[in-house]
Amino acid sequence: MNSAEQKTTSYPVVNSYNEWDLLEEVIVGVIEGACVPPWHITVKATIPEKQWGFFQEYSGKPFPSEHIGAAARDLEEFVHILEAEGVMVRRPEKIRCDKPYAAPDWQCACGLYSAMPRDLLLVIGDEIIETPMPWRSRYFEVNAYRPLLTEYFKKGARWTAAPKPQLTDELYNPDYQDKGYSKDMPYAITEFEPTFDAADFVRCGKDLFVQKSHVTNRLGIEWLRRHLGERFTIHEVEVVDSHPMHIDTSFMPLAPGKLLVHPERIKTIPEMFKSWDVLYAPEPNKTIKRTLYMSSAWVSMNVFMLDHERVMVEKNEEDFIKALKNFGLKPIPCNFINFNAFGGAFHCATLDIRRRGELQSYF
Ligand code: ARG
């Protein structure tokens, strides 16, 4: 396709097969209403040990308002940049998460947030999939996105929800303890029913990459594999992490032939990437003072591509910005340290709804 044709082609309202085609429309999360989720084995398994006390004490309450306010300002800056770069930005509802709810077999003191659309919604081509997340506090998270999902559905998108999980006690492994990484280490969730978070997957056209984690089990991966059928292949990536949750701070294909990886968590680059250039993310900037409630500082490498070159990156990550430039990309810096507190950065905070491109194989 030549460039004139490319400009006039109009794509379905939802159309995204990879992490890098030219971005036209995106959902950016909101932080207002965020609450500290109830203490649970799946929380313990995935958040920094330093924060366990905070979570136990503030469970069910809103996060400190000064942190919410500062994160909201980061998000506004991000949205302005995206709009200035020509992207249509959509936002979920600002829902208060401090309402308790119950299912027949369990109850939950509050929800979490509507900050990370990447965690729960998976866009593959013209389909949006609501994923079966195992955190009870995230059971109704999709509600904030329902008006948008209904709109996209009316405009022709395919809309699917994976089997709604029961989230009864059988799903959890109460004896789970972090004993360090090994190939056959135990997880906080069992194989009782299929569960996965969307953010444990990254997309490269016909090939998708997934990590098994404390939120994504084998049955969850198998459900998606059968659901997507023969057009797609799902490959499991070995990530050396004893508290895995979300692959996008470990393994991130940035553009055709360009792979970003965590220098310690990815020991072996999967064979199919042998002809790709690999960038090992530099250490997160140690001079930055930060609160990280829910993740490691490696959210620094959680970048977001606007096309094959333009990449959204944290303004203070100077070494990383240099490395991205040397890697042939065009970094767009944005303040995001305050948002990072809530467990993610640009890739987590977004869901690319429409990119200009078709289904392809890159291998
Ligand atoms: N668990 C990762 C870490 O601590 C953070 C993953 C963030 N990704 C996301 N989609 N929320 O490094």
Side-chain angles (χ1 to χ4, degrees):
M1 198 184 288
N2 65 39
S3 66
E5 269 173 294
Q6 215 161 38
K7 279 209 185 80
T8 53
T9 312
S10 78
Y11 288 92
V13 60
V14 173
N15 185 76
S16 181
Y17 288 102
N18 56 48
E19 309 292 338
W20 54 70
D21 279 337
L22 178 63
L23 183 68
E24 286 188 345
E25 182 164 340
V26 70
I27 301 178
V28 173
V30 295
I31 194 66
E32 289 85 352
C35 278
V36 184
W39 189 241
H40 187 257
I41 193 74
T42 52
V43 174
K44 184 180 171 191
T46 50
I47 67 157
E49 198 168 339
K50 233 174 120 178
Q51 299 294 346
W52 292 2
F54 171 84
F55 274 73
Q56 284 161 334
E57 193 177 340
Y58 291 96
S59 154
K61 301 198 176 80
F63 277 95
S65 58
E66 64 277 21
H67 282 168
I68 301 232
R73 286 192 290 281
D74 281 0
L75 281 171
E76 289 322 307
E77 180 179 333
F78 180 33
V79 167
H80 283 140
I81 294 175
L82 287 169
E83 286 174 345
E85 295 291 328
V87 180
M88 189 200 290
V89 178
R90 312 299 303 276
R91 311 297 295 273
E93 304 291 294
K94 290 181 180 164
I95 285 183
R96 283 183 57 167
C97 297
D98 59 351
K99 295 182 197 149
Y101 52 87
D105 297 302
W106 49 267
Q107 40 199 310
C108 193
C110 67
L112 175 61
Y113 50 39
S114 322
M116 311 281 178
R118 184 73 58 190
D119 293 0
L120 87 152
L121 296 167
L122 188 58
V123 172
I124 297 177
D126 66 346
E127 180 176 23
I128 304 190
I129 301 170
E130 296 177 21
T131 64
M133 305 174 97
W135 279 28
R136 288 172 177 166
S137 54
R138 308 193 82 168
Y139 200 71
F140 290 108
E141 198 166 303
V142 73
N143 288 6
Y145 303 87
R146 295 290 287 209
L148 286 170
L149 296 179
T150 305
E151 178 194 320
Y152 294 135
F153 179 69
K154 285 181 183 161
K155 291 179 174 164
R158 289 188 300 138
W159 180 12
T160 305
K164 185 163 55 78
Q166 288 177 276
L167 306 189
T168 51
D169 288 346
E170 290 96 324
L171 177 63
Y172 308 104
N173 176 4
D175 302 324
Y176 168 78
Q177 271 185 33
D178 181 0
K179 294 195 180 118
Y181 173 79
S182 70
K183 265 196 180 162
D184 51 5
M185 69 178 198
Y187 291 93
I189 51 167
T190 66
E191 293 290 338
F192 174 66
E193 60 186 342
T195 66
F196 60 98
D197 278 13
D200 271 328
F201 291 82
V202 282
R203 304 153 306 151
C204 292
K206 292 185 178 206
D207 295 281
L208 280 87
F209 298 87
V210 64
Q211 70 169 5
K212 238 184 123 222
S213 74
H214 292 301
V215 289
T216 295
N217 60 18
R218 278 204 191 291
L219 285 175
I221 298 173
E222 186 52 29
W223 180 85
L224 188 66
R225 194 170 268 142
R226 278 187 223 168
H227 174 74
L228 294 178
E230 280 164 11
R231 285 201 306 160
F232 296 90
T233 310
I234 299 180
H235 309 265
E236 210 178 296
V237 178
E238 191 188 352
V239 178
V240 178
D241 184 358
S242 63
H243 34 85
M245 178 169 74
H246 307 150
I247 195 169
D248 55 1
T249 49
S250 301
F251 186 86
M252 274 298 301
L254 299 180
K258 286 187 164 68
L259 176 66
L260 171 68
V261 298
H262 187 295
E264 282 127 37
R265 291 183 192 159
I266 305 294
K267 300 279 188 222
T268 353
I269 306 288
E271 189 58 35
M272 27 194 319
F273 288 89
K274 280 283 138 71
S275 67
W276 286 41
D277 293 328
V278 177
L279 175 61
Y280 290 89
E283 290 265 323
N285 183 341
K286 285 214 177 72
T287 66
I288 300 172
K289 273 223 218 123
R290 41 178 138 210
T291 307
L292 290 162
Y293 287 121
M294 301 181 69
S295 75
S296 70
W298 286 96
V299 287
S300 59
M301 62 173 279
N302 190 254
V303 294
F304 180 58
M305 302 301 294
L306 307 190
D307 58 20
H308 289 209
E309 292 182 332
R310 286 175 298 158
V311 53
M312 296 298 312
V313 58
E314 216 296 324
K315 202 172 190 168
N316 298 282
E317 295 293 347
E318 287 128 18
D319 293 348
F320 189 32
I321 292 176
K322 265 186 222 143
L324 288 167
K325 275 188 196 151
N326 291 336
F327 203 47
L329 301 178
K330 293 187 179 137
I332 305 178
C334 174
N335 288 297
F336 228 48
I337 295 294
N338 299 302
F339 183 82
N340 288 170
F342 295 90
F346 306 103
H347 192 257
C348 313
T350 50
L351 182 72
D352 32 315
I353 289 297
R354 192 171 59 261
R355 291 183 183 269
R356 299 188 71 82
E358 285 96 37
L359 181 60
Q360 281 182 47
S361 174
Y362 297 92
F363 300 93

